[in-house]
Amino acid sequence: MPLTAEDVDRFEAARPRLEAVAYRLLGSAAEAEDAVQETFLRWQATDVDRIEVPEAWLTKVLTNLCLNQLTSARARRESYVGEWLPEPLLGGDPMLGPADTAEQRESVSYAVLTLLERLSPNERAVYVLREAFDYPHREIAEILDLTEAASQQIFHRAKQHVADGKARTEIDEAAARRIVEEFLAAATSGRTEPLIRLLTADAIAIGDGGGKVPARARAFEGAVAVAKFLWGLFKPAEAKRAIVGGSPEVHASTANGGPAVVAVLDGRVVGIMCLEVTAEGIAAFRNQVNPDKLARATAHWATVDHGKPLFNAF
């Protein structure tokens, strides 16, 4: 039976939530969009009049599609060139989903999305549905074909994996911008000492170029090593301009709810550096420069007022 206009509207009303669930599960906006579209095709092929609770049905179908995707993605990521990092989303992107509670905001932070890669597909699904969308364990059990007790145990285990010992600090957009501006001032000062003062002793820096753009595959570790790397990264050089095709504009912004440095060249986002901030200082720099993971950011960038750049890099 073909879908009615009301059936299509019902799905479209659920789309933002489904995309937010899928993004947290997959760490990729492009893959999230594909999973939601496949969910729509399943909805289209089903007698929707027989579905008692459409939201539960859609969530179950989507989650299982994402679980299958995660299983196959693990094999692909083993052959990925360099470090695999999630696709960052700039502030205001609707795919970031609900941000009413501290748990919801943290669940989509870049640091936590990176940590979620440690989890099994089932652990990730339970964590996301419970922590970010406040599903009761009874409903999670029905979605994943588990017992309620098993869902609770899996959630407890997932929470332990995600809690890596660093107490991340919640900051608003204005504070995020100040942190980025202070960091960039130190990074372009020509000296490493101002940078070291901003970092935690065990700070790390890593990048994802996907084999298409040069990026550090193995993390720099420790404040001194990270400061030297960042000082060199922002030092002008003709070779860097040649790689990216010019001198990108550098903006202070937010991504996944946290401070971010955004590099833009001719309207195209060419890099997003996400800063992980703790009470002790900046603990991590995760730099996404793989162009395949910046297309959505570029599209979003074109729709918002991002102000003047702080400076031009390189």
Side-chain angles (χ1 to χ4, degrees), residues 74-301:
R74 287 198 162 196
R76 290 199 307 275
R77 288 172 193 175
E78 286 178 3
S79 59
Y80 190 81
V81 178
E83 180 75 8
W84 190 95
L85 292 176
E87 179 177 348
L89 297 181
L90 295 175
D93 192 312
M95 196 177 280
L96 289 169
D100 299 323
T101 68
E103 291 79 11
Q104 289 173 335
R105 291 188 291 273
E106 184 174 56
S107 72
V108 80
S109 71
Y110 205 67
V112 167
L113 281 181
T114 303
L115 288 170
L116 290 181
E117 291 297 308
R118 301 179 182 180
L119 305 184
S120 70
N122 259 14
E123 287 173 338
R124 187 163 183 162
V126 171
Y127 177 86
V128 166
L129 292 172
R130 179 64 183 160
E131 193 79 344
F133 296 91
D134 202 28
Y135 275 79
H137 283 290
R138 174 181 53 78
E139 291 184 26
I140 296 173
E142 292 173 358
I143 290 169
L144 297 175
D145 295 323
L146 302 167
T147 66
E148 189 171 344
S151 176
Q152 292 170 337
Q153 290 172 355
I154 291 171
F155 178 68
H156 179 69
R157 189 165 63 240
K159 285 270 285 187
Q160 286 183 319
H161 285 311
V162 172
D164 66 343
K166 289 192 176 77
R168 284 169 285 276
T169 302
E170 269 210 277
I171 50 179
D172 60 25
E173 190 168 341
R177 182 178 178 86
R178 288 195 299 271
I179 289 170
V180 172
E181 289 176 347
E182 185 179 5
F183 156 65
L184 289 173
T188 56
S189 68
R191 297 180 298 122
T192 59
E193 291 82 1
L195 266 174
I196 292 173
R197 287 196 292 269
L198 295 177
L199 309 181
T200 62
D202 59 350
I204 66 165
I206 196 163
D208 176 356
K212 300 180 179 183
V213 177
R216 176 72 178 185
R218 294 186 62 183
F220 287 95
E221 298 180 354
V224 173
V226 170
K228 288 180 178 179
F229 161 68
L230 293 170
W231 174 79
L233 180 66
F234 287 97
K235 187 178 180 180
E238 183 60 38
K240 297 175 188 174
R241 291 191 289 272
I243 289 171
V244 298
S247 298
E249 297 177 342
V250 176
H251 294 260
S253 188
T254 61
N256 293 77
V261 180
V262 180
V264 182
L265 183 64
D266 298 330
R268 178 172 55 90
V269 175
V270 295
I272 299 177
M273 177 183 283
C274 298
L275 281 60
E276 181 182 347
V277 180
T278 71
E280 290 74 38
I282 304 174
F285 299 85
R286 297 181 177 92
N287 197 20
Q288 184 57 260
V289 292
N290 183 345
D292 294 343
K293 299 182 183 181
L294 297 172
R296 186 179 176 95
T298 294
H300 183 71
W301 188 259

